[in-house]
Amino acid sequence: MHAPITASPHQPKLPLTLERLSHGESGSVMAINVEDELKKRFFAMGLKEGAHVRVLRKAKFGGPMHLRVGTSELILRLKEACCICLVTAQ
Amino acid sequence: MKRIALLGMPNTGKSTLFNRLTGAHAKVGNWPGLTVELLNARLIVGDQVVRLVDLPGIYDLNGYSDDEKVVTTFLDTQSTDLITFVLNTSQYERQLNLLSQVMAKGIPMLLVMNMVDEASAMGITVDVDTLSRKLQHPVYLLSAKYGQGMERLQPAMRQALSANPIKSSPLSLSEIEHAFKAAMSVPAQASNALTEKLDKVLLHPVLGLPLFFAVMLLLFEGVFAIGKPLQDGTAWLLTAFRTAALEPLSVHLPVMLQGLLLDGVFNGVSTVASFVPLIVLFFLFMGIVEDTGYLSRAAFLMDALMAKFGLDGRSFVMLLMGFGCNVPALMGTRVIRSKGLRYLTMLTIPFSLCSARMQVFVFFIAALFTTEQAPWVLFSLYVMSILMSILTSLIFKREYVNNDAFVLEMPPYRFPTARQMAITAWQEVRHFLNRATRFIVIGVVMIWILTNFPPGVQSGSLDSWAGQLGNLLQPLFSPLGINAELTIALLFGFIAKEIVIGSLAVIYGQEGGALVNTITQHITWVQAYSFMLFVLIYTPCVSAIATIRNETKNLKFTALSIAWPLVTAWLVSFVFYQVVTALLA
């Protein structure tokens, strides 16, 4: 769950995980901390290290996130989104 | 016979290509993993007949889902002469890993880049020559939906199956990626503008769910607004056919045979057949919703709620599919990797009010309720259907625990062409005729024999075998307000719900409007509703049970999936009938 992150000395940050992004925000995938089988499925959806992810929307009541990765779109529960570490574009 | 297999990820238009090549028959659905049975058809390629197999859409050849196991087993055990690998052009990047895995199998392969219509709308271009050269492998650009580029596929298949096919060596993933990078041009902001606009409305945080239910309600309203007059018309035509042609023609037949043919086979089958327009329309509308990709949106909107019942968004979509027919919905659960979630979903699907049960309800509602009451009565049964699914998952969610991640592709909105809709409608007619010959004819003949034997009894009277059987079971069913005749119908309804109305036609020896009148005189609305509740909840049909057994290979679970609905059906009908009768007294 806790991937090392190379934080810049000027603005130290906690590892940012996907579920903390809100609607319209985006980032690059740095690490995916899930078991191998699920990682394969993420990979087939375009969700891999280095991929650019944008949050299109989040469902109400803690429901899934609607993401765009490259030219594909997918939905993902917050529980799984927690396992994806990002660096934001800014 | 040589064999060609279609292989690719879900949502690459494999089934559309299959239909395009074979001229119909496979069901197309814009839902990941819908094509769960191995669809196949004969295809003429050059001067030989080959078998074309549509494999389920999969993400990874080394994956562990049942779908992926089906494909790997197929490739390892069935000799395959040619794989036609189908890529979705606009999302090519994430599909290259699967492509390299398939290439490594060393089976001759054709590479098809499908959905060029969508890709070019997004501004994506493909340099086919460069790509073919770099891959050392011919590439075919086409749109199976609109038929664009299809003319080049036949010669390519012929060449690939000929004595000297083009040989190509497998490439590594990075070589493949490199080739594609050189040949593809994707604009920085490639997106589907229409899909984005529609999603802003249809996935609106507040309006999304109400809109979804409004769409479903509109769908049902539409089916009845158009379908009911068609059904009445068909029933009238069939009755006219009987009086004008069948009765005069059969006067010289022995009385017994005439009775069997007219009151048995014809009454039974025609009563069921009059519902065909309604059912076809229902499947057509459901098919359109499915093909557009709206069901994946439904999964997104409903997931948070479904999680509370131990299910997820995919289960919800399968429950919706079950409103058409439970069998494909049960098979659709193969995309779910968690055994617990898959079993739980399979336990809830049989409560989905399928189109066969809808026939029974439409018939009884028309007989015992006013036109104003009718839509609400039917609506209440749909609500009951959903409540039963929820109740079941709440009770069993600790037994069958979901440990699967929820990741789902969200395809762009697509609109089926008239050709695709015609194929869907035709398929439903065929499906009905198939079931009709298998179950309905045999069922109604058996009922006719039961109601007319031992020889000499008055047809359908309490002295007939059916009457005796009905009486024998009365202690069990009279507390539910279900009389001997309806009990017989229930017994046969265990085989398939399509038989229920047909069997009543045979038991009462009437069809069409006359049958409706008889039912109105014989039972009260409370009895009818109690009967409908029982029909809704108890086992949908033998096919559904067989499917559950085949899919799970688990006898204990299959037994549970029969026993649980039977017990609840009895309890719910009992409580309803006793309480309402007491209130009205």
Side-chain angles (χ1 to χ4, degrees):
Chain A
M1 289 293 270
H2 301 289
I5 187 162
T6 44
S8 96
H10 304 294
Q11 33 175 188
K13 270 193 286 188
L14 285 168
L16 178 65
T17 44
L18 178 57
E19 96 287 355
R20 283 162 52 196
L21 292 193
S22 39
H23 161 248
E25 291 185 323
S26 61
S28 290
V29 177
M30 230 181 53
I32 301 178
N33 302 308
V34 296
E35 35 124 16
D36 200 40
E37 161 72 359
L38 185 55
K39 203 163 178 167
K40 272 186 197 158
R41 235 184 324 156
F42 281 168
F43 190 83
M45 303 263 185
L47 209 54
K48 56 183 177 188
E49 274 92 354
H52 185 254
V53 183
R54 191 154 63 92
V55 178
L56 297 180
R57 55 182 56 78
K58 288 168 119 171
K60 282 257 170 187
F61 314 113
M65 310 176 91
H66 181 186
L67 309 169
R68 169 184 284 281
V69 185
T71 48
S72 309
E73 286 178 21
L74 59 122
I75 54 182
L76 189 70
R77 271 189 183 169
L78 298 181
K79 187 171 148 253
E80 277 81 37
C82 291
C83 308
I84 298 175
C85 297
L86 299 172
V87 275
T88 49
Q90 289 80 17
Chain B
M1 198 187 296
K2 289 200 168 170
R3 200 180 275 137
I4 304 180
L6 289 184
L7 208 157
M9 283 198 183
N11 278 300
T12 51
K14 273 183 325 91
S15 305
T16 316
L17 180 62
F18 182 89
N19 281 342
R20 186 54 82 172
L21 284 167
T22 60
H25 311 329
K27 198 160 157 50
V28 192
N30 198 350
W31 164 255
L34 182 77
T35 327
V36 280
E37 281 185 295
L38 289 186
L39 289 161
N40 66 89
R42 270 183 300 193
L43 179 69
I44 296 170
V45 177
D47 55 357
Q48 52 184 326
V49 180
V50 300
R51 188 159 289 285
L52 184 70
V53 186
D54 185 17
L55 294 174
I58 55 160
Y59 290 112
D60 196 302
L61 263 193
N62 307 321
Y64 300 109
S65 81
D66 285 356
D67 265 354
E68 285 159 341
K69 275 183 232 152
V70 166
V71 174
T72 37
T73 315
F74 182 89
L75 292 181
D76 291 342
T77 59
Q78 313 287 308
S79 74
T80 310
D81 301 282
L82 177 67
I83 293 177
T84 302
F85 191 89
V86 189
L87 271 177
N88 174 351
T89 308
S90 54
Q91 302 176 351
Y92 74 94
E93 263 188 298
R94 60 190 183 82
Q95 300 169 60
L96 301 183
N97 188 42
L98 182 63
L99 174 62
S100 79
Q101 288 176 342
V102 174
M103 263 190 174
K105 288 266 166 196
I107 301 168
M109 190 185 80
L110 275 186
L111 181 55
V112 166
M113 297 187 70
N114 193 17
M115 304 188 169
V116 279
D117 51 308
E118 266 178 23
S120 56
M122 288 167 79
I124 297 170
T125 58
V126 190
D127 179 349
V128 183
D129 296 331
T130 308
L131 188 58
S132 299
R133 200 180 60 244
K134 295 227 170 202
L135 288 175
Q136 298 153 355
H137 203 104
V139 176
Y140 299 89
L141 270 188
L142 54 88
S143 159
K145 185 173 172 185
Y146 297 104
Q148 193 184 331
M150 288 299 294
E151 68 285 348
R152 284 192 294 271
L153 201 54
Q154 267 278 346
M157 285 180 166
R158 202 178 321 154
Q159 158 68 27
L161 290 177
S162 72
N164 329 294
I166 303 167
K167 293 245 161 59
S168 57
S169 43
L171 302 174
S172 72
L173 178 58
S174 64
E175 285 170 313
I176 296 174
E177 278 175 341
H178 187 73
F180 272 86
K181 217 157 252 165
M184 305 283 300
S185 141
V186 183
Q189 286 300 317
S191 63
N192 191 315
L194 178 66
T195 294
E196 279 188 10
K197 267 187 210 140
L198 278 174
D199 272 345
K200 274 212 175 87
V201 182
L202 295 176
L203 294 182
H204 190 275
V206 181
L207 296 176
L209 267 182
L211 264 174
F212 172 74
F213 288 111
V215 167
M216 291 318 276
L217 215 63
L218 210 69
L219 185 145
F220 287 111
E221 277 296 315
V223 168
F224 288 102
I226 309 170
K228 201 69 183 58
L230 282 177
Q231 187 218 333
D232 295 341
T234 318
W236 182 85
L237 271 178
L238 287 165
T239 311
F241 177 67
R242 179 186 159 129
T243 17
L246 288 183
E247 283 175 7
L249 277 176
S250 61
V251 281
H252 301 300
L253 291 175
V255 181
M256 206 64 174
L257 187 62
Q258 191 194 14
L260 172 67
L261 288 179
L262 286 185
D263 299 331
V265 178
F266 185 80
N267 273 5
V269 175
S270 75
T271 305
V272 182
S274 67
F275 283 90
V276 172
L278 205 65
I279 305 298
V280 169
L281 218 57
F282 180 77
F283 274 100
L284 189 61
F285 283 23
M286 280 288 279
I288 294 172
V289 174
E290 210 178 290
D291 285 353
T292 56
Y294 193 32
L295 291 186
S296 299
R297 271 79 190 171
F300 173 78
L301 292 168
M302 290 297 287
D303 184 63
L305 185 62
M306 298 314 280
K308 295 207 176 12
F309 311 133
L311 301 168
D312 75 12
R314 289 171 299 181
S315 319
F316 178 71
V317 172
M318 292 308 159
L319 285 175
L320 279 182
M321 302 261 308
F323 284 145
C325 175
N326 291 177
V327 174
L330 286 165
M331 294 197 289
T333 59
R334 281 185 201 169
V335 294
I336 299 173
R337 278 154 227 246
S338 152
K339 190 177 160 193
L341 178 61
R342 193 169 173 213
Y343 276 32
L344 190 60
T345 309
M346 284 184 138
L347 208 53
T348 55
I349 287 173
F351 294 107
S352 277
L353 195 166
C354 68
S355 61
R357 277 172 270 186
M358 183 179 76
Q359 285 176 32
V360 181
F361 302 154
V362 170
F363 179 87
F364 272 88
I365 290 170
L368 289 145
F369 295 90
T370 65
T371 336
E372 290 78 48
Q373 292 165 338
W376 296 105
V377 179
L378 189 63
F379 180 69
S380 74
L381 288 162
Y382 275 104
V383 172
M384 199 59 204
S385 153
I386 295 165
L387 285 180
M388 288 312 300
S389 295
I390 292 175
L391 179 75
T392 301
S393 48
L394 281 177
I395 290 174
F396 289 96
K397 76 173 180 182
R398 269 166 215 90
E399 188 82 20
Y400 301 106
V401 179
N402 172 20
N403 47 29
D404 195 13
F406 180 65
V407 204
L408 197 65
E409 230 180 285
M410 195 76 119
Y413 288 100
R414 298 183 177 124
F415 300 93
T417 60
R419 188 174 178 278
Q420 286 174 318
M421 286 193 256
I423 288 173
T424 310
W426 166 236
Q427 253 205 296
E428 288 320 320
V429 176
R430 243 181 20 153
H431 177 74
F432 171 80
L433 292 176
N434 202 347
R435 277 179 78 100
T437 43
R438 266 166 61 205
F439 297 132
I440 302 166
V441 174
I442 300 167
V444 293
V445 167
M446 278 166 67
I447 293 161
W448 186 85
I449 292 171
L450 283 180
T451 46
N452 284 277
F453 280 85
V457 295
Q458 201 200 334
S459 172
S461 69
L462 292 179
D463 301 322
S464 69
W465 287 337
Q468 292 172 19
L469 191 60
N471 271 336
L472 195 71
L473 290 167
Q474 270 304 284
L476 203 54
F477 285 97
S478 65
L480 319 182
I482 295 174
N483 65 24
E485 286 87 352
L486 294 179
T487 304
I488 300 294
L490 279 184
L491 281 182
F492 281 91
F494 190 82
I495 302 168
K497 294 294 162 288
E498 284 94 337
I499 306 177
V500 172
I501 300 299
S503 67
L504 285 174
V506 179
I507 293 165
Y508 287 111
Q510 281 163 332
E511 49 127 22
L515 178 61
V516 174
N517 284 336
T518 310
I519 298 276
T520 316
Q521 285 156 17
H522 274 76
I523 58 174
T524 66
W525 74 266
V526 188
Q527 285 178 296
Y529 199 87
S530 169
F531 176 76
M532 290 195 285
L533 281 175
F534 199 93
V535 169
L536 170 68
I537 301 168
Y538 88 125
T539 324
C541 62
V542 201
S543 311
I545 298 170
T547 308
I548 292 177
R549 210 197 94 83
N550 277 339
E551 294 294 317
T552 59
K553 309 260 186 290
N554 184 331
L555 277 179
K556 212 178 121 203
F557 180 77
T558 311
L560 174 70
S561 72
I562 299 171
W564 167 248
L566 269 178
V567 172
T568 16
W570 195 90
L571 286 174
V572 171
S573 292
F574 177 77
V575 170
F576 171 82
Y577 184 72
Q578 294 301 330
V579 169
V580 176
T581 321
L583 286 178
L584 292 178

